[in-house]
Structures are given as structure tokens and as C-alpha cells.
Amino acid sequence: MPVRQLRFSEPEALYESIRLRIEDEVPPGSLVAMPTGSTPLPLYARVRANPRSRALWATFRFLQLDEYFEPPAGAEFFRDYLRRELFDPLELPSESVLDIEPFSHANATKRAEQLDAQFQRVGPPQLVVLGLGPNGHIAFNEPATDFADGYHFVELCPTTVRANVGSKIPNRSHYALTLSVPQILTAESVYLIVPQLEKQTVLDRVLGGPVSPMLPGSALIEHPNLSVFRRDTQSA
Ligand code: GLP
């Protein structure tokens, strides 16, 4: 099935289209998963500024996609980011926030099992919205020899850490917990948002197939309801 690609010459139109599409497609009370990073910030600002969006988004339940074991210098816990950008401004009740509490190496496996049990209980999500890592990662599913299933603990690629904190080269390993690719694929609908001109080439590789765990985002091309919001490089 061909992937639905929506191309925009201006980022403003891209973010407005996502906001309107969510309002059209996602019923009140739905379970959704929203990404962190720089990509979704203009979307969240639009939601905060629009009373109709706020009213709908305040009914959603939010599943956190991924979390650092310990944020690299210059980064923050994704839970804090999501609280600041969405959860607190929307004044969500605590039962609507299915976030990932900080964890240690000692309890990471147990935390992953708890998150899987929660996913079984509340899932599948109506909508998962994703950004794309420079190496084709989605959430924190890094290039690997196979697609792990269930929440799992990963060592982050140096390119990922560098992209997330600016240009500094990480001087040690960094780890994270992430929802798996097979779990993402259970969502009713998946949006992949790639507004960065410099990521259009990796996006073309992701969408061109074949599906490979070395390019984790490529798994999305088999999802029956994937929408890709990207830049129109012809007119950019
Ligand atoms: C991070 C996050 C992803 C995010 C991606 C892109 O590593 N784990 O959820 O989509 O990188 O980040 P950015 O939007 O800052 O380019």
C-alpha cells in the first residue's frame, strides 16, 4: 500500500495540518503517544494557544514513548519535557498521564515489565505521533540486528546523543527505555513528522524500504494507516 505523504513548503502549514487532522480523526478520550524533541514543539504551542484544541487534548490519555536512564548533559528527562509542554498546560488529571518514572539499572527490567503490562491493559493507542532520528530511529529504537518487542533498555548511538544535545560529542555511554517498534505498529494510526530539510534524505531511505531493523523507521511502511508530514523540497 502506498504511504500517505503530505508535503508542505512551510513548517507553519505542516503543523497546522497535523493539529486539524488530529482534531478530525482522534475521538475524545483516546489513548495517544506524543514525541519529544524539537520536532513537535510548534504543534504543542499551537495546541496550547487554541481553545478548541486544548478542550479536545485535555480529554486524551497520554502514553510516554521513551525515557533516558539519565539525561546527557544539556538534555532533560522526557517526562519533564512533556509535563512542561503539554500535561501541565492542559491541566491533565494524573490518571491521564501514563508516563515513565525515572529508573535505575537495577530496576530497569522490572520497569519495562510494568510498562508492558500497562500497555496490555490500556492499549493499543489510537494515535502514535513520531519524529525521526538522524539515523532513522523512532522513539529510542536504535538501528539493531532485529526488532525487539516490548519496552526495552537500549544503549543510545553517539549520533543520537549528539543530535539531542547539540554538537557535543558524548564522552560516555547513555541508555534509555523505549516502547518497541511492534508496539508502535499496533496503533490505529501513526503520524511521522519530519519538517527538517536535512532529514528528507533519511526519510526517503526509510520510506523506500525494504523494512530493516538497521533503519527502524522503515517498519512503519507496513502500517496500514501511516501519514507522513514532510517538507516539499522542490519548493523549499
Ligand atoms: C529523540 C527522541 C525521538 C525524537 C527524535 C527526533 O531521540 N527519542 O522521540 O523523535 O529523537 O528528535 P528531534 O525532533 O529533536 O529532531
Side-chain angles (χ1 to χ4, degrees):
M1 191 193 306
V3 173
R4 185 184 308 130
Q5 298 191 55
L6 301 129
R7 295 173 187 268
F8 299 86
S9 51
E10 296 301 330
E12 291 75 20
L14 178 149
Y15 288 107
E16 188 62 1
S17 165
I18 297 168
R19 185 182 71 81
L20 294 173
R21 191 172 276 252
I22 289 176
E23 288 179 14
D24 275 356
E25 291 183 355
V26 184
S30 293
L31 178 70
V32 299
M34 293 290 150
T36 52
S38 58
T39 300
L41 288 173
L43 171 65
Y44 300 154
R46 280 171 186 273
V47 169
R48 292 193 301 266
N50 185 294
R52 193 174 150 213
S53 303
R54 290 173 66 97
L56 174 64
W57 285 57
T59 72
F60 294 158
R61 288 169 306 146
F62 291 86
L63 188 71
Q64 188 173 337
L65 289 165
D66 50 6
E67 186 57 281
Y68 290 116
F69 165 66
E70 196 180 282
E76 64 182 333
F77 280 118
F78 289 161
R79 187 170 78 146
D80 294 340
Y81 165 109
L82 288 165
R83 282 183 178 171
R84 185 184 60 248
E85 297 298 327
L86 273 183
F87 303 160
D88 290 348
L90 292 172
E91 298 178 28
L92 293 182
S94 58
E95 60 271 21
S96 298
V97 176
L98 307 173
D99 57 5
I100 303 177
E101 284 175 31
F103 52 93
S104 64
H105 281 287
N107 71 3
T109 307
K110 185 146 186 287
R111 184 58 47 82
E113 287 169 4
Q114 289 166 343
L115 290 165
D116 281 337
Q118 173 178 263
F119 190 85
Q120 288 287 333
R121 204 170 57 245
V122 302
Q126 174 69 30
L127 171 68
V128 172
V129 180
L130 300 166
L132 186 67
N135 59 2
H137 78 230
I138 48 174
F140 266 146
N141 291 276
E142 295 280 42
T145 49
D146 54 20
F147 288 112
D149 199 4
Y151 277 86
H152 55 285
F153 202 42
V154 292
E155 179 174 351
L156 300 176
C157 298
T159 49
T160 296
V161 178
R162 217 164 33 231
N164 288 2
V165 298
S167 58
K168 277 182 265 162
I169 296 170
N171 54 8
R172 64 178 182 83
S173 299
H174 290 280
Y175 299 89
L177 249 185
T178 183
L179 184 79
S180 69
V181 169
Q183 286 170 315
I184 290 170
L185 294 177
T186 67
E188 183 67 31
S189 176
V190 179
Y191 294 0
L192 180 62
I193 311 179
V194 191
Q196 300 90 345
L197 289 172
E198 65 277 13
K199 285 192 192 171
Q200 301 305 301
T201 308
V202 65
L203 176 61
D204 283 335
R205 284 177 53 219
V206 160
L207 300 181
V211 172
S212 165
M214 292 307 292
L215 200 58
S218 64
L220 299 176
I221 64 178
E222 294 196 329
H223 193 282
N225 197 10
L226 169 69
S227 301
V228 181
F229 297 82
R230 66 179 301 175
R231 293 297 292 284
D232 182 353
T233 44
Q234 302 297 310
S235 61

